[in-house]
Amino acid sequence: MRLRTKITSVFIVLTSLFLSGVFILIYYFSKEYTENEFYLRLSQRATIAAQAYLDEDELNDDIYNDIRIRHLQTLPNEEEVIYPVDAENQKPLTEFDKTLPESFFKKVFSNQYTELKQGDYYYTGLLYHDNEGDFIVVLSATDLYGFGKLDNLRNILIIAFFVSIVFIYVLGRYYAKQALSPISKITEEVNSIRAENLSLRLKTATGKDELAELSRTFNNMLDRLQISFDLQSNFINNASHELRNPLTAILGQTEVALIKARSPEEYHAILKSIDLEASRLDFLVNGLLKLAKTDFDSKGFVIDAIRVDELILNIKQSLDVAIPNNKIKLDFEELPENEDAITILGSESLLHVALSNIIENACKFSDNKVVNLKILSDSDYILVTINDEGVGIPEDELKNIYEPFFRASNVRGIEGFGFGLPLAYRIIKMHSGEIRVLSQVNKGTIVKIKLLNKNTYHS
């Protein structure tokens, strides 16, 4: 079902229910009013009838006839019956009408007046006290005029209901079309966007309503897609370039070596150069393989209990060998006494790679200035903070730092491939952790890593 039809249908159903309720209430209160009005007329006529009948002997014929002409106009199917009764003992002196329920007469005795409706007939019962005794006056009639009014009202309401439904259907279709026309326009604009024109954006993103918000959401999604396409394109270009350079050097050196016979020293120098380029190529390929490995489901790696402080110490020992002049300072002063609070569950080898890459970057991009590393812990998380005094990252480039081969514009002269941080980011995400980078150019970078501790896994 199309959304336009669905909206119109729901609108018609809700409106139908509302109109039905309103019309039923109108008919109900009109019926109540008509019946009450007729009962009032019956009660007045019963009183006048009792007075005229029981006082007939005290009136001359002219007065009695005048009362009947002026006040006792006959109602449709009108009947009046007067029963002599013993009001004190609530007993009839003659037999009551058997067609009326006994409760009707009991209410007359107790309340001195009551009303009853049987079929199309309305009854009023009145207890009348006279000098000749007590009497119950029962007056009955049918309200043909009231029935006619109610039938006419019911027919008008039914006709009004169906006319309203037709009108609401036409109006609902029109306004549903008007309301959904911006969505149709958005659909057309989105369908016109292809991979080759990802720079196009929706024009309906102005305003503060839900459709404008939807358009802005689409535009934001297109921004992310365009960035992803650009990064993917850059990744392929950079990977091709980085792989081609060592291969070109290896092929060039090999070709030079094969042109003519050379001395052992020359062959040694050429092989040393080839070995250097091959090592560089091996490092590059291993980095690509590690990145590809982190794209697979993390269920495949082995889970170990790892103390973060011990892992950091192992990384520090490795970096002391690889970067002898590093100035890494460890701050373990706020470590908790509970061992589980600084223990995480995960792959030790992968976490070693992730933290090692981040710390090594801090040393490399700060030209081996002081790098402060601090570990904090609470009941659920372990927070590792790495703070350097390096060149920093331009603010507008921070959004790209987790993409492979991306390198900030101010570090192009520093050796590297752009694998470290993207690889660390993926490993930390595999361990349900978070990583946040804050940086200012020429002031340094702060990397904050938050990991779930062992207590959280057990809870």
Side-chain angles (χ1 to χ4, degrees):
M1 181 184 292
R2 292 181 65 85
L3 185 58
R4 176 183 173 185
T5 305
K6 190 174 183 179
I7 292 174
T8 305
S9 301
V10 172
F11 184 60
I12 289 174
V13 170
L14 294 177
T15 309
S16 300
L17 293 175
F18 175 75
L19 288 177
S20 299
V22 171
F23 288 171
I24 289 172
L25 287 176
I26 291 174
Y27 183 80
Y28 171 78
F29 287 116
S30 297
K31 185 173 181 291
E32 287 291 310
Y33 175 79
T34 301
E35 289 185 350
N36 291 334
E37 183 185 35
F38 192 67
Y39 277 127
L40 179 60
R41 291 172 62 192
L42 285 179
S43 66
Q44 291 173 345
R45 294 177 68 79
T47 302
I48 295 172
Q51 291 175 348
Y53 177 79
L54 296 173
D55 296 341
E56 185 176 357
D57 58 332
E58 302 173 11
L59 301 173
N60 60 45
D61 292 339
D62 293 335
I63 295 175
Y64 179 73
N65 290 331
D66 182 61
I67 291 175
R68 291 192 64 84
I69 293 169
R70 294 175 57 189
H71 299 288
L72 297 179
Q73 296 91 347
T74 303
L75 295 172
N77 302 315
E78 179 181 341
E79 284 187 25
E80 58 185 49
V81 183
I82 299 177
Y83 301 98
V85 296
D86 180 0
E88 185 176 351
N89 296 314
Q90 297 187 359
K91 293 181 178 180
L93 300 180
T94 60
E95 189 177 8
F96 287 144
D97 185 357
K98 296 296 185 180
T99 60
L100 294 174
E102 187 178 346
S103 59
F104 174 79
F105 295 100
K106 288 183 179 179
K107 288 181 181 178
V108 176
F109 279 122
S110 59
N111 301 328
Q112 298 192 0
Y113 176 79
T114 191
E115 298 170 348
L116 174 69
K117 183 175 184 293
Q118 284 192 155
D120 293 336
Y121 281 85
Y122 294 88
Y123 295 85
T124 57
L126 175 68
L127 181 62
Y128 187 82
H129 303 283
D130 188 68
N131 54 7
E132 296 183 5
D134 299 323
F135 300 87
I136 288 180
V137 181
V138 177
L139 196 141
S140 62
T142 56
D143 188 11
L144 298 180
Y145 177 70
F147 291 156
K149 286 197 302 182
L150 289 175
D151 288 342
N152 185 55
L153 176 63
R154 184 182 64 246
N155 294 334
I156 290 174
L157 292 177
I158 291 173
I159 294 172
F161 176 79
F162 286 107
V163 171
S164 299
I165 293 301
V166 173
F167 176 74
I168 290 167
Y169 173 77
V170 175
L171 197 63
R173 291 279 295 181
Y174 173 75
Y175 278 106
K177 181 180 179 182
Q178 294 298 315
L180 295 175
S181 59
I183 296 181
S184 300
K185 188 175 181 182
I186 291 173
T187 303
E188 292 176 3
E189 291 180 356
V190 170
N191 286 334
S192 66
I193 298 174
R194 299 287 187 273
E196 60 272 10
N197 60 353
L198 270 177
S199 59
L200 294 180
R201 295 294 180 268
L202 302 182
K203 300 176 183 178
T204 53
T206 57
K208 297 181 180 180
D209 58 7
E210 289 80 358
L211 293 176
E213 185 177 352
L214 176 64
S215 298
R216 286 192 291 271
T217 302
F218 269 116
N219 284 343
N220 292 336
M221 180 189 69
L222 290 171
D223 289 338
R224 293 192 296 271
L225 284 175
Q226 186 175 14
I227 292 172
S228 297
F229 271 86
D230 292 341
L231 290 173
Q232 185 179 21
S233 177
N234 291 334
F235 175 85
I236 294 172
N237 292 334
N238 289 332
S240 301
H241 176 75
E242 296 295 341
L243 290 170
R244 188 189 305 115
N245 285 342
L247 283 174
T248 302
I250 291 172
L251 292 173
Q253 293 291 336
T254 305
E255 186 178 353
V256 169
L258 294 175
I259 290 176
K260 62 177 182 178
R262 299 181 180 278
S263 64
E265 291 78 10
E266 290 176 323
Y267 280 123
H268 183 270
I270 291 172
L271 289 174
K272 187 175 181 181
S273 177
I274 291 173
D275 179 69
L276 180 63
E277 295 297 334
S279 298
R280 182 185 175 194
L281 184 61
D282 180 66
F283 179 81
L284 188 60
V285 171
N286 284 335
L288 288 172
L289 289 174
K290 288 179 181 178
L291 277 176
K293 183 180 179 181
T294 57
D295 282 332
F296 292 102
D297 191 352
S298 59
K299 293 179 182 178
F301 62 74
V302 178
I303 301 296
D304 297 315
I306 310 158
R307 281 193 51 154
V308 175
D309 54 343
E310 294 178 356
L311 179 62
I312 296 294
L313 288 172
N314 291 336
I315 294 172
K316 176 70 166 63
Q317 291 177 358
S318 300
L319 290 177
D320 286 342
V321 175
I323 311 173
N325 55 343
N326 74 78
K327 295 183 178 63
I328 301 171
K329 293 186 177 180
L330 304 180
D331 183 356
F332 292 167
E333 293 183 1
E334 299 184 33
L335 291 182
E337 295 181 0
N338 182 7
E339 181 179 353
D340 289 345
I342 54 170
T343 302
I344 61 176
L345 299 177
S347 168
E348 184 173 2
S349 60
L350 288 178
L351 287 171
H352 188 284
V353 170
L355 294 174
S356 178
N357 284 346
I358 295 172
I359 299 171
E360 185 178 354
N361 281 348
C363 296
K364 180 168 62 175
F365 294 115
S366 65
D367 196 19
N368 283 330
K369 293 180 182 177
V370 175
V371 174
N372 293 302
L373 192 151
K374 187 174 184 178
I375 301 177
L376 299 171
S377 178
D378 60 18
S379 58
D380 298 321
Y381 296 97
I382 301 169
L383 181 64
V384 180
T385 304
I386 302 162
N387 189 354
D388 66 55
E389 301 174 1
V391 296
I393 304 170
E395 184 177 356
D396 60 337
E397 297 180 9
L398 279 172
K399 62 180 181 294
N400 300 325
I401 59 176
Y402 302 125
E403 298 299 328
F405 289 111
F406 174 80
R407 308 196 71 214
S409 57
N410 58 341
V411 296
R412 300 290 168 80
I414 301 176
E415 183 181 354
F417 295 103
F419 281 143
L421 197 54
L423 184 58
Y425 173 79
R426 297 189 185 187
I427 292 173
I428 290 169
K429 285 294 182 182
M430 286 169 60
H431 288 78
S432 302
E434 299 177 11
I435 180 170
R436 186 181 178 193
V437 177
L438 307 173
S439 187
Q440 286 184 304
V441 175
N442 297 325
K443 290 188 177 180
T445 300
I446 301 175
V447 179
K448 295 182 178 181
I449 302 167
K450 187 160 74 170
L451 296 165
L452 295 172
N453 63 25
K454 190 176 180 181
N455 291 331
T456 307
Y457 282 101
H458 286 166
S459 62

